[in-house]
């Protein structure tokens, strides 16, 4: 028997009215465990109307009180960590420790947003001119929205709604329909934390809901994370409708291994960053670039047995599992198809996970770990974001050649270099045209008080996620020039105003 999920509108869970539903699977078993309603335009309108009515009072609430809601929310996240992680794992498939990491990286942004009173301060200049004072203020946009992906159903919604709400906006969240339970739970926790009705709405849906959000005249800004084609669509259509838009798309993250690198450390990094969460991370390392044939040979020699030994299974197996299934049957088919394509194109499949089966979970969406060697940049498996447990090795003769692979790729989300040489690391960090860089760090996701964002076809828009950029994105600046009657000369002045 399956459960019917709901939307969260005006402070409570409400049943969908469109008559359309999507299946929510348990990826480990392949079974449908719930049905989620897909919102109509009318339901989007209802959520936006509620948000619009509630937002002015929330914006007028002083920043300290808004910050206290975030403080309460952080405490509730800690209290409900196990429940959130289990719900997340059951719909996404990732292990419980990884699911807790998903929640914690979102929680860290909520903690950062407790500092909203400081982050929202304007600037003041006394005596900018004769009797003139000048000051600026940051004010919320109004109703804003976020469209978030399946691979981080806790973290990325919190990256979006926490700063938006702390800044005084009302927020419409359209999470992935593949794993919608945790976003609904987060909305309920925000309500328990003291958030007024209507300030956070969660509306489940598909393209109809997305287009309704993009076209709605009362939504002022939209944030998105997902694939690059959809990011480009949302960015262009949102801008066309006069909205402020930030979109983050696909990735193909390279890790360069220099001859002087600690090879054991590099292998540990590749195993975790390449295969964690079954490779379904935009910051996953999917391309290893060893420099020099000897370095490549040593890398493969140490890496292959580690990949072969990875433990795959359902999250219910506990600590004995390194990664779980991919999210849907369609995702499994796509990943396996790309692996087949890599073999056809001539790459060497050193570790072949295509025939992985797990007893008792034959209908689950499991893909075994795959490791390619001798991949070239003209191959589809090099050019395409696979989003599965597949690592490609591209051999480079020199550092400059290795650098060119990362720099010439159309994606520019994250990258890393493993080396003991400070000059090489510094040169890499300065020259690379990629948004997030790791030096002996394989997944360089910035902490909440810095900003997260890729370059090239991995990011669209001028401002990044979380950190100070988030408050800039969700507010606009108003500048006031003030002079009182005692400082005003009589008579009209027809020249351009100056401060002389």
């Amino acid at each position: 028997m399956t459960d019917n999920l709901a939307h969260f509108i005006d402070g409570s869970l409400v049943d969908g009215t469109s008559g359309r539903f999507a299946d929510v699977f348990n990826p480990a078993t392949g079974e449908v465990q719930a049905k989620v309603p897909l919102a109509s335009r009318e339901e989007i309108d209802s959520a936006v109307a509620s948000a619009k009515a509630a937002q002015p009072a929330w914006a007028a609430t002083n920043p300290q009180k808004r910050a206290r809601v975030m403080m309460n929310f952080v405490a509730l996240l800690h209290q409900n960590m196990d429940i959130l992680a289990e719900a997340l794992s059951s719909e996404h498939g990732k292990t419980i420790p990884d699911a807790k990491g998903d929640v914690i990286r979102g929680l860290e942004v909520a903690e950062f947003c407790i500092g909203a009173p400081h982050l929202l301060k304007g600037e003041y200049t006394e005596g900018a001119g004769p009797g003139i004072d000048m000051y600026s203020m940051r004010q919320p946009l109004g109703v804003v929205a976020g469209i978030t992906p399946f691979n981080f159903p806790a973290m990325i919604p919190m990256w979006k709604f926490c700063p938006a709400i702390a800044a005084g906006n009302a927020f419409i969240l359209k999470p992935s329909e593949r794993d919608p339970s945790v976003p609904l739970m987060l909305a309920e926790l925000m309500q328990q934390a003291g958030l007024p009705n209507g300030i956070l709405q969660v509306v489940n849906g598909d393209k109809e809901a997305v287009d309704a959000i993009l076209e709605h005249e009362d939504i002022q800004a939209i944030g998105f994370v997902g694939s690059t084609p959809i990011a480009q669509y949302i960015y262009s259509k949102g801008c066309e409708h006069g909205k402020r838009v930030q979109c983050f798309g696909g990735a193909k993250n390279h890790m360069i291994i220099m001859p002087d690198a600690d090879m054991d450390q590099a292998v540990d990094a590749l195993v975790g960053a390449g295969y964690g969460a079954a490779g379904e991370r935009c910051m996953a390392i999917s391309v290893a670039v060893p420099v020099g044939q000897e370095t490549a040979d040593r890398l493969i020699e140490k890496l292959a047995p580690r990949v072969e030994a990875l433990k795959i299974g359902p999250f219910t197996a506990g600590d004995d599992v390194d990664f779980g299934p991919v999210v849907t049957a369609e995702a499994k088919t796509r990943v396996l198809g790309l692996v087949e394509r890599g073999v056809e194109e001539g790459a060497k499949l050193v570790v072949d996970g295509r025939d992985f089966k797990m007893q008792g979970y034959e209908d689950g969406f499991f893909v075994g770990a795959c490791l390619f060697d001798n991949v070239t940049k003209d191959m589809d498996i090099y050019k395409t974001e696979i989003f599965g447990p597949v690592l490609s090795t591209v051999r480079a003769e020199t550092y400059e050649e290795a650098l060119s692979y990362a720099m010439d790729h159309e994606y520019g989300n994250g990258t890393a270099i493993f080396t003991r040489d400070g000059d090489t690391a510094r040169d890499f960090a300065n020259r690379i045209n990629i948004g997030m860089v790791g030096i002996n760090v394989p997944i360089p996701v910035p902490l909440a008080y810095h900003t997260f964002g890729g370059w090239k076809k991995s990011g669209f828009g001028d401002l990044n996620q979380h950190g100070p950029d988030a408050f800039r994105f969700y507010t606009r600046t108003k500048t006031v020039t003030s002079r009182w009657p005692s400082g005003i000369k009589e008579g009209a002045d027809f020249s351009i105003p100056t401060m002389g």
Side-chain angles (χ1 to χ4, degrees):
M1 183 175 179
T2 59
D3 296 324
N4 277 354
L5 299 175
H7 307 300
F8 188 87
I9 298 176
D10 202 28
S12 61
L13 294 169
V14 298
D15 293 333
T17 59
S18 71
R20 297 188 307 120
F21 292 86
D23 293 333
V24 179
F25 292 91
N26 178 336
T29 64
E31 297 173 337
V32 176
Q33 59 181 329
K35 289 187 177 293
V36 60
L38 302 176
S40 63
R41 285 180 176 267
E42 289 74 22
E43 287 169 299
I44 296 293
D45 288 343
S46 174
V48 174
S50 171
K52 185 179 180 181
Q55 190 271 333
W58 178 242
T61 301
N62 70 57
Q64 296 96 313
K65 289 185 177 179
R66 298 201 299 259
R68 286 178 197 135
V69 171
M70 287 297 160
M71 291 177 65
N72 296 337
F73 179 56
V74 167
L76 288 168
L77 288 171
H78 282 293
Q79 293 169 23
N80 290 274
M81 183 67 67
D82 291 340
I83 297 170
L84 289 165
E86 185 166 345
L88 195 159
S89 292
S90 72
E91 292 183 351
H92 177 278
K94 64 177 69 177
T95 65
I96 290 291
D98 197 24
K100 287 183 178 180
D102 190 331
V103 177
I104 289 167
R105 290 310 295 257
L107 179 155
E108 289 170 353
V109 170
E111 288 178 326
F112 174 72
C113 291
I114 294 170
H118 173 72
L119 292 159
L120 293 169
K121 287 192 304 184
E123 298 171 319
Y124 190 96
T125 300
E126 182 182 14
I132 293 175
D133 302 324
M134 195 173 292
Y135 60 95
S136 64
M137 59 182 78
R138 287 200 168 274
Q139 296 187 325
L141 301 178
V143 179
V144 298
I147 301 165
T148 58
F150 75 86
N151 60 324
F152 286 98
M155 180 183 81
I156 296 179
M158 285 190 272
W159 283 11
K160 299 296 186 187
F161 72 68
C162 288
I165 288 172
N169 299 282
F171 197 90
I172 310 293
L173 173 63
K174 206 300 287 182
S176 172
E177 63 273 24
R178 296 175 189 173
D179 42 15
S181 291
V182 167
L184 291 167
M185 295 166 70
L186 295 175
E188 291 185 282
L189 292 178
M190 282 291 285
Q191 206 73 15
Q192 291 177 38
L195 193 70
N197 293 347
I199 299 302
L200 176 58
Q201 322 271 16
V202 180
V203 187
N204 296 294
D206 54 8
K207 187 176 184 297
E208 181 177 339
V210 169
D211 284 341
I213 288 169
L214 290 169
E215 296 166 8
H216 203 293
E217 63 181 5
D218 289 328
I219 293 176
Q220 305 301 313
I222 298 170
F224 169 82
V225 177
S227 70
T228 287
I230 305 302
Q232 290 175 310
Y233 171 79
I234 288 175
Y235 186 74
S236 61
K237 190 160 186 174
C239 291
E240 178 188 334
H241 285 83
K243 304 185 189 312
R244 184 178 292 184
V245 188
Q246 60 169 196
C247 291
F248 298 93
K252 197 72 175 179
N253 304 321
H254 295 61
M255 181 174 131
I256 294 173
I257 303 99
M258 296 299 293
D260 67 343
D262 182 319
M263 192 57 71
D264 290 328
Q265 185 186 66
V267 168
D268 285 343
L270 282 170
V271 169
Y275 298 97
E280 292 179 320
R281 295 171 176 159
C282 70
M283 289 297 285
I285 293 294
S286 53
V287 182
V289 190
V291 176
Q293 295 303 320
E294 182 185 355
T295 307
D297 290 342
R298 286 193 294 128
L299 177 69
I300 294 297
E301 181 183 0
K302 285 181 173 285
L303 184 59
R306 293 286 304 278
V307 175
E308 289 172 342
L310 287 170
K311 298 175 182 178
I312 307 167
F315 77 92
T316 50
D319 294 337
D320 290 334
V321 173
D322 294 314
F323 69 86
V326 293
V327 70
T328 61
E330 291 78 12
K332 176 179 177 179
T333 299
R334 179 180 178 276
V335 171
L336 292 176
L338 282 163
V339 174
E340 293 282 355
R341 179 65 177 150
V343 173
E344 292 170 3
E345 290 181 318
K348 182 180 179 181
L349 189 55
V350 178
V351 179
D352 186 352
R354 288 175 293 178
D355 295 328
F356 176 84
K357 299 288 182 186
M358 186 168 188
Q359 187 175 0
Y361 294 88
E362 290 81 3
D363 294 328
F365 310 139
F366 292 98
V367 178
C370 295
L371 173 63
F372 278 106
D373 193 9
N374 300 120
V375 174
T376 58
K377 64 181 181 181
D378 58 325
M379 294 180 179
D380 287 344
I381 56 169
Y382 177 75
K383 293 184 284 187
T384 304
E385 182 180 33
I386 298 175
F387 228 58
V390 182
L391 179 64
S392 296
T393 306
V394 179
R395 294 177 176 231
E397 291 296 332
T398 65
Y399 165 69
E400 290 295 334
E401 183 186 356
L403 192 68
S404 72
Y405 283 122
M407 293 189 71
D408 293 346
H409 204 284
E410 66 176 344
Y411 293 126
N413 205 47
T415 189
I417 188 169
F418 273 64
T419 181
R420 290 184 171 97
D421 187 276
D423 287 340
T424 302
R426 188 172 186 273
D427 180 79
F428 181 78
N430 287 338
R431 289 172 61 190
I432 198 73
N433 58 349
I434 288 171
M436 291 168 285
V437 181
I439 297 171
N440 298 317
V441 174
I443 303 179
V445 177
L447 292 175
Y449 43 87
H450 288 270
T451 60
F452 178 108
W455 291 11
K456 298 184 281 189
K457 287 191 176 180
S458 294
F460 304 87
D462 297 328
L463 294 169
N464 287 341
Q465 300 180 97
H466 65 65
D469 269 13
F471 282 86
R472 296 185 187 106
F473 181 76
Y474 290 116
T475 60
R476 51 189 153 210
T477 303
K478 180 183 291 181
T479 305
V480 179
T481 303
S482 170
R483 184 171 62 186
W484 296 98
S486 61
I488 299 176
K489 296 179 180 179
E490 294 185 3
D493 188 348
F494 295 95
S495 62
I496 188 78
T498 67
M499 295 298 129

